[in-house]
Amino acid sequence: MAKLSKLAARRKAIRDKKAAMTPDRRRKKAENQRKRRAAIKKGKNIRGKDYDHKTKRFTSIKNNRGNRGKGTKKEK
């Protein structure tokens, strides 16, 4: 990742915060927290995994954030 200037980093932080606080992202975050807590309570090992809202299960971070090898440009 490129090193950002202080001004660019500040602006990016503002953009990222705005994106993270949209109703859709907040719903997904809350759902993710509920799923993680429930999985941990059941004794599942979810270390290094993210909840995938598309497949409705925990998958590796690499697969989830990379759209299972297809990239994210055309993801809906």
Side-chain angles (χ1 to χ4, degrees), residues 22-39:
T22 62
D24 183 52
R25 287 301 310 145
R26 291 177 72 172
R27 275 193 302 272
K28 285 180 180 177
K29 182 177 179 180
E31 180 186 7
N32 191 14
Q33 288 174 340
R34 284 192 305 272
K35 300 282 186 181
R36 290 188 78 80
R37 289 174 184 153

Side-chain angles (χ1 to χ4, degrees), residues 9 15-16 22 29 38 46 50 53 58 61 64 70:
R15 282 193 313 271
D16 288 352
T22 62
K29 182 177 179 180
I46 56 171
D50 278 345
H53 294 90
F58 286 97
I61 294 168
N64 190 26
K70 297 177 184 168

Side-chain angles (χ1 to χ4, degrees), residues 21-73:
M21 299 311 277
T22 62
D24 183 52
R25 287 301 310 145
R26 291 177 72 172
R27 275 193 302 272
K28 285 180 180 177
K29 182 177 179 180
E31 180 186 7
N32 191 14
Q33 288 174 340
R34 284 192 305 272
K35 300 282 186 181
R36 290 188 78 80
R37 289 174 184 153
I40 291 167
K41 200 177 257 190
K42 289 180 183 176
K44 292 185 179 179
N45 181 10
I46 56 171
R47 176 177 245 147
K49 293 186 176 182
D50 278 345
Y51 184 74
D52 188 346
H53 294 90
K54 194 179 280 186
T55 63
K56 307 284 189 218
R57 53 189 271 187
F58 286 97
T59 58
S60 73
I61 294 168
K62 181 179 178 181
N63 280 335
N64 190 26
R65 298 186 188 179
N67 196 25
R68 287 153 297 288
K70 297 177 184 168
T72 57
K73 283 190 175 184

